[in-house]
Amino acid sequence: MTSFDKRSELSKEISGEEDIDFTYRIYQQGHRLLMPNIDGFLGVHLKHGVGSDSEDFVKNAQYLLSKYPELKEERELLYELIGL
């Protein structure tokens, strides 16, 4: 079994991409998420306070891509919306 540090290197005042950073690091260590049959699958995202300014999100997205440039293709549609 490998050890896993769940802390992200992203700032403590994160406005996006922390979930992608966390799950991708899990994936890189060989762990896999178990997913039920896609029929009837439900994703839940808890609402949290986020400012209307997207600068923090863009900063975190840029940081995430600097760590994992291979994710750009997977996140392409979202990143096009924010100009990355």
Side-chain angles (χ1 to χ4, degrees), residues 19-73:
D19 51 346
I20 305 302
D21 181 60
F22 179 73
T23 54
Y24 194 62
R25 288 184 295 123
I26 290 172
Y27 175 81
Q28 286 182 312
Q29 291 191 4
H31 303 285
R32 298 297 180 260
L33 298 174
L34 298 176
M35 304 295 274
N37 185 331
I38 195 71
D39 292 333
F41 184 73
L42 173 66
V44 177
H45 191 269
L46 300 177
K47 289 186 177 190
H48 50 83
V50 176
S52 60
D53 190 357
S54 63
E55 286 182 27
D56 286 339
F57 181 81
V58 170
K59 179 183 75 173
N60 285 327
Q62 290 170 331
Y63 175 74
L64 187 74
L65 288 177
S66 74
K67 284 175 69 175
Y68 314 115
E70 66 274 19
L71 290 179
K72 185 164 187 172
E73 184 177 338

